[in-house]
């Protein structure tokens, strides 16, 4: 996927703007210290050259001795100031800046939850997000600014050393530049190769991380032992790793060859500079002391020129990594309307709605007509793969109809702000999250800012009181990641159901919320759920039909279509798909 961020200049402007917004004072101090340090460094080079020169002429004059002492004193003071500025910069970089960088993590995670849920299933978008995360974890935004910023002090130091070296010989200035130019070109070439390699290997890196996760996470250990597929996973993981290393090895060989050749040219020109300086001594153009000073300045200038070229090549490389972050932020957010929903949801209407997943020509939901009125209990039933979950995501506004229309309170659902619309919903789904936090917070997290509700009632309703007492209270950490208390699948589902109830939303969507619980316990649990959810709108999605007798409307789905709608008695007498399901499952509920 091509970068949309534009030129390196644009990326530098974005990074600088972002950093000045979150820490203007710190960034200003860094700039000032950097420039002042560069000027002192130039002065230091000049003082060191004088010291070396005076050292060769100390026996000639008392004035030379005085000048020597002054230069040494100045050099020491400059050194002390540079060391102090280095300590200040270390404190800024490692103490003050790190907390500020959380801004970029928040911005990335906030953008992720605001892009369309549909596109997150696209592997290319996953690759983009992976690289954007890497850009943040590796502090690429700060690196862009710091690399660009370092160019200014380096140019000051380079200009200063050039002027000093020019006082000895113009040819040495030219040789210093020529000696580092090949290294700069190699660095530029390597940077581009490295970035291209990282992009090409993004999906492989994701696969490698996934394989490592399933090799080591607790959920797969049991199946691993029973099915004994550990060797298969290890082979798969290391085959992926070796494939990457093989490609990487070829790249490293080319990089090493380029670096070695550039270093050979650099050293050859350094030797040529030595020969040139010796020639100046032989012609009495410079003294032996000046020769030593001259070579010292040449080495310094060579280093600064190398740094300058290196920063120019590095900025091109780092900007590409930073662009991964900015490109992801440029990815359009899920379209949100402008109308704030304030009076709750009174009616939801789906008219001839169809939806299919990417790269799938078959509709997951096709030509659906459905009305949900406030206070109704709607039970959507059907076999696995019939389109029930996709239909719920359309009702929630997480997916947008590809054909047809979805109206809320008579208005298109797309007119409402996404946030204010979703505030009306609470969900409990089959693939719920098992949070490695306290037992209480696993429930409270659905409405974390409202602790006024009595949590005991929700634990009682969902048969969690005994579990709470057994584990030692609400503060017990769940999961074996950070505590020592774990729950069974059915117990976790009850926690997820309590979490859905605690939000106290107007509409509750339960998508196979009790699939890990036996039918009789499910029937009892959902009945109690209906008691506490009275006067709320409830949409229950299940392949079981235990609570259908109490439903205001039963929606029967098959192959993405609604094949029947009505009450339990109506559908039983209709002798259709629902009748077949009831006959197959009714033995559980007698």
């Amino acid at each position: 996927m091509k970068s949309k961020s534009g030129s390196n200049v644009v990326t530098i402007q974005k990074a600088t703007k972002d950093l000045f917004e979150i820490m203007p004072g710190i960034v200003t101090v860094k700039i000032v210290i950097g420039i002042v340090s560069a000027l002192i460094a130039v002065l230091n080079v000049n003082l060191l050259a004088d010291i070396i020169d005076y050292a060769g002429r100390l026996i000639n004059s008392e004035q030379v001795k005085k000048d020597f002492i002054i230069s040494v004193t100045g050099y020491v003071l400059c050194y002390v100031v540079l060391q102090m500025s280095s300590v200040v910069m270390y404190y800024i970089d490692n103490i003050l800046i790190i907390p500020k960088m959380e801004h970029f993590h928040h911005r990335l995670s906030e953008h992720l939850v605001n892009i369309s849920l549909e596109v997150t299933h696209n592997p290319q978008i996953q690759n983009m997000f992976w690289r954007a995360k890497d850009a943040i974890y590796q502090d690429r935004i700060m690196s862009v600014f710091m690399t660009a910023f370092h160019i200014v002090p380096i140019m000051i130091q380079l200009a200063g050393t050039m002027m000093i070296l020019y006082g000895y010989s113009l040819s040495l200035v030219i040789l210093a530049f020529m000696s580092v130019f090949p290294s700069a070109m190699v660095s530029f070439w390597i940077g581009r190769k490295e970035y291209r390699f990282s992009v090409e290997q993004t999906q492989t890196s994701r696969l490698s991380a996934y394989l490592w996760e399933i090799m080591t996470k607790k959920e797969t250990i049991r199946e691993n032992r029973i099915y004994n597929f550990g060797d298969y996973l290890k082979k798969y993981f290391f085959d992926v790793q070796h494939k990457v290393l093989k490609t990487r090895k070829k790249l490293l060989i080319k990089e090493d060859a380029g670096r070695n050749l550039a270093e050979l040219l650099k050293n050859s020109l350094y030797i040529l500079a030595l020969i040139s300086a010796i020639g100046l001594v032989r012609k009495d153009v410079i003294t032996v002391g000046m020769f030593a000073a001259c070579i010292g300045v040449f080495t310094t200038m060579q280093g600064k020129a190398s740094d300058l070229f290196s920063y120019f090549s590095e900025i091109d490389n780092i900007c590409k990594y930073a662009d991964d972050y900015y490109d992801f932020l440029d990815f359009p957010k899920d379209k949100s309307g402008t109308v704030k929903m304030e009076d709750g949801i009174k009616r939801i209407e789906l008219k001839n709605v169809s939806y299919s997943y990417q790269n799938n020509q078959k509709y997951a939901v096709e030509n659906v007509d459905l009305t949900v009125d406030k206070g109704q209990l709607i039970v959507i039933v059907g076999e696995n793969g019939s389109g029930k979950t996709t239909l719920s995501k359309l009702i929630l506004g997480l997916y947008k109809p590809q054909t047809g229309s979805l109206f809320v309170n008579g208005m298109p659902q797309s007119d409402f702000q996404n946030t204010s619309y979703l505030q009306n919903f609470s969900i409990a789904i089959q693939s719920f999250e098992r949070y490695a936090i306290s037992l209480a917070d696993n429930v409270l997290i659905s409405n974390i800012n409202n602790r006024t509700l009595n949590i005991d009632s929700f634990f009682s309703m969902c048969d969690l009181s005994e579990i709470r007492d057994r584990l030692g209270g609400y503060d017990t950490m769940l999961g074996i990641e950070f505590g020592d208390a774990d729950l069974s699948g059915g117990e976790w589902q009850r926690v997820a159901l309590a979490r859905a109830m605690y939000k106290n939303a107007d509409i509750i969507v339960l998508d196979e919320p009790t699939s890990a619980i036996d039918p009789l316990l499910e029937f009892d649990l959902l009945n109690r759920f209906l008691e506490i959810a009275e006067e709320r709108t409830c949409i229950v999605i299940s392949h079981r039909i235990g609570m259908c007798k109490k439903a205001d409307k039963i929606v029967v789905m098959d192959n993405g279509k609604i094949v029947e709608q009505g009450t339990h008695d109506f559908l039983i007498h209709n002798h259709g798909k629902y009748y077949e399901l009831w006959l197959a499952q009714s033995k559980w509920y007698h």
Side-chain angles (χ1 to χ4, degrees):
M1 199 168 282
K2 285 183 110 179
S3 169
K4 303 184 291 294
S5 294
S7 68
N8 292 341
V9 174
V10 173
T11 306
I12 293 168
Q13 288 174 342
K14 287 181 177 180
T16 303
K17 180 175 177 289
D18 282 342
L19 291 169
F20 263 105
E21 282 180 357
I22 62 175
M23 44 182 170
I26 292 174
V27 172
T28 302
V29 169
K30 281 182 70 69
I31 291 173
V32 171
I33 291 177
I35 292 173
V36 171
S37 296
L39 293 170
I40 293 174
V42 172
L43 177 59
N44 235 14
V45 171
N46 191 44
L47 289 170
L48 183 59
D50 288 343
I51 289 168
I52 295 170
D53 186 24
Y54 293 148
R57 296 186 287 128
L58 280 176
I59 58 172
N60 297 332
S61 164
E62 285 297 322
Q63 183 60 43
V64 171
K65 291 179 181 179
K66 289 181 182 178
D67 292 340
F68 175 77
I69 293 171
I70 292 171
S71 295
V72 169
T73 303
Y75 180 82
V76 170
L77 288 174
C78 287
Y79 178 80
V80 170
V81 172
L82 287 173
Q83 290 302 306
M84 289 174 64
S85 66
S86 177
V87 170
V88 173
M89 291 292 262
Y90 179 86
Y91 177 77
I92 290 173
D93 292 341
N94 293 277
I95 305 297
L96 298 182
I97 285 181
I98 289 176
K100 301 288 186 181
M101 299 307 288
E102 292 177 1
H103 164 83
F104 296 104
H105 291 81
H106 296 322
R107 190 175 173 191
L108 183 62
S109 60
E110 184 180 316
H111 189 74
L112 179 65
V113 299
N114 282 299
I115 65 175
S116 169
L117 182 65
E118 301 155 84
V119 301
T120 59
H121 301 308
N122 186 324
Q124 278 193 311
I125 305 304
Q126 290 293 325
N127 289 346
M128 282 181 69
F129 180 61
W130 182 273
R131 293 199 296 273
K133 281 198 302 182
D134 179 73
I136 297 306
Y137 292 152
Q138 301 297 327
D139 286 334
R140 305 292 189 186
I141 309 303
M142 177 57 76
S143 296
V144 166
F145 170 75
M146 291 308 302
T147 304
F149 161 69
H150 274 132
I151 289 173
V152 176
I154 289 294
M155 289 182 71
I156 292 172
Q157 293 179 56
L158 181 61
T161 51
M162 277 176 59
M163 291 172 63
I164 297 169
L165 189 59
Y166 178 74
Y168 296 108
S169 170
L170 175 61
S171 62
L172 293 178
V173 174
I174 297 170
L175 283 174
F177 268 119
M178 289 176 59
S179 67
V180 298
F181 187 74
S183 296
M185 293 299 99
V186 169
S187 295
F188 184 80
W189 174 77
I190 287 174
R192 296 214 154 187
K193 285 282 187 182
E194 288 281 356
Y195 177 74
R196 193 175 304 130
F197 176 82
S198 73
V199 171
E200 290 170 353
Q201 296 299 322
T202 300
Q203 188 139 326
T204 306
S205 298
R206 285 177 50 221
L207 174 59
S208 180
Y210 170 74
L211 290 171
W212 177 254
E213 181 186 2
I214 63 173
M215 283 169 61
T216 56
K217 73 177 184 177
K218 64 183 177 68
E219 288 81 4
T220 57
I221 292 174
R222 179 176 55 188
E223 288 197 6
N224 188 349
R225 289 184 178 180
I226 294 171
Y227 298 132
N228 195 26
F229 54 65
D231 289 341
Y232 162 79
L233 285 179
K234 282 189 285 186
K235 184 178 184 303
Y236 194 179
F237 174 75
F238 285 111
D239 282 348
V240 171
Q241 292 290 90
H242 291 155
K243 186 178 178 181
V244 174
L245 290 173
K246 187 177 179 181
T247 309
R248 179 85 173 141
K249 183 179 177 181
K250 293 178 182 177
L251 180 61
L252 288 174
I253 290 172
K254 292 179 181 179
E255 289 178 1
D256 285 343
R259 286 194 184 97
N260 290 332
L261 180 60
E263 193 65 23
L264 178 63
L265 289 169
K266 179 181 175 181
N267 292 334
S268 298
L269 290 174
Y270 176 74
I271 292 170
L272 186 59
L274 281 173
I275 294 170
S276 177
I278 291 170
L280 294 174
V281 173
R282 293 185 64 181
K283 295 176 181 177
D284 293 327
V285 176
I286 60 175
T287 64
V288 173
M290 293 171 68
F291 166 80
C294 172
I295 292 304
V297 175
F298 176 87
T299 304
T300 301
M301 183 188 160
Q302 192 181 47
K304 295 306 172 186
S306 178
D307 289 344
L308 182 65
F309 285 133
S310 176
Y311 279 125
F312 272 121
S313 62
E314 191 177 343
I315 196 69
D316 179 72
N317 186 33
I318 291 176
C319 281
K320 285 182 172 57
Y321 287 103
D323 282 343
D324 289 334
Y325 169 74
Y326 287 116
D327 285 348
F328 188 77
L329 292 185
D330 286 340
F331 197 87
K333 292 182 179 180
D334 198 7
K335 290 182 179 178
S336 182
T338 56
V339 179
K340 186 175 182 179
M341 179 165 285
E342 296 176 336
D343 299 326
I345 297 175
K346 298 176 178 62
R347 168 172 279 203
I348 299 173
E349 297 173 275
L350 287 81
K351 296 184 178 180
N352 203 31
V353 167
S354 296
Y355 180 85
S356 67
Y357 291 94
Q358 292 182 4
N359 303 319
N360 193 341
Q361 294 180 345
K362 182 182 176 182
Y363 281 115
V365 166
E366 185 175 4
N367 300 331
V368 163
D369 292 298
L370 177 64
T371 300
V372 179
D373 287 316
K374 183 177 180 179
Q376 281 189 324
L377 168 61
I378 308 291
V379 181
I380 303 173
V381 297
E383 296 173 352
N384 290 332
S386 60
K388 304 186 300 296
T389 296
T390 304
L391 178 59
S392 72
K393 289 177 179 176
L394 287 163
I395 292 171
L396 286 162
L398 299 175
Y399 290 171
K400 307 299 181 187
Q402 291 166 343
T403 62
S405 303
L406 194 157
F407 294 94
V408 179
N409 298 344
M411 294 175 58
Q413 188 273 333
S414 56
D415 287 355
F416 291 102
Q417 294 175 354
N418 289 339
T419 304
S420 68
Y421 179 71
L422 287 170
Q423 281 302 311
N424 294 275
F425 291 92
S426 184
I427 61 168
I429 58 177
Q430 184 176 9
S431 55
F432 56 86
E433 190 62 42
R434 306 179 184 204
Y435 296 103
I437 54 180
S438 74
L439 175 62
D441 284 349
N442 257 284
V443 174
L444 296 174
I445 198 170
S446 66
N447 196 6
I448 201 68
N449 295 319
N450 180 14
R451 294 176 179 265
T452 59
L453 299 177
N454 182 7
I455 192 173
D456 291 336
S457 63
F458 294 95
F459 270 66
S460 177
M461 184 200 71
C462 295
D463 269 346
L464 290 170
S465 300
E466 183 182 337
I467 295 169
R468 174 200 60 207
D469 297 339
R470 186 188 79 216
L471 294 179
Y474 288 123
D475 294 331
T476 302
M477 293 291 289
L478 294 189
I480 61 173
E481 290 89 347
F482 309 108
D484 56 2
D486 206 355
L487 304 178
S488 68
E491 290 170 339
W492 271 114
Q493 276 200 319
R494 279 180 265 167
V495 170
L497 189 59
R499 180 161 61 233
M501 298 303 299
Y502 188 79
K503 186 181 178 183
N504 201 27
D506 290 337
I507 302 177
I508 304 174
V509 178
L510 305 180
D511 187 352
E512 303 280 10
T514 51
S515 59
I517 300 172
D518 70 74
L520 289 177
L521 181 57
E522 173 200 47
F523 184 66
D524 180 56
L525 189 60
L526 290 179
N527 273 324
R528 275 185 280 168
F529 153 71
L530 290 178
E531 290 175 10
I532 200 169
E534 194 174 359
E535 297 184 3
R536 296 193 220 175
T537 307
C538 300
I539 302 171
V540 181
I541 297 161
S542 180
H543 63 280
R544 296 175 181 174
I545 57 176
M547 64 186 308
C548 286
K549 281 187 175 182
K550 297 192 175 185
D552 297 300
K553 183 188 297 181
I554 301 165
V555 177
V556 186
M557 295 198 70
D558 188 35
N559 288 320
K561 296 180 179 180
I562 293 179
V563 293
E564 289 182 297
Q565 291 189 57
T567 62
H568 169 78
D569 291 339
F570 173 80
L571 294 177
I572 288 293
H573 288 102
N574 201 40
H575 280 227
K577 185 72 176 177
Y578 178 77
Y579 180 73
E580 293 176 13
L581 292 171
W582 178 259
L583 286 180
Q585 297 183 26
S586 59
K587 61 181 181 291
W588 292 341
Y589 308 107
H590 287 306

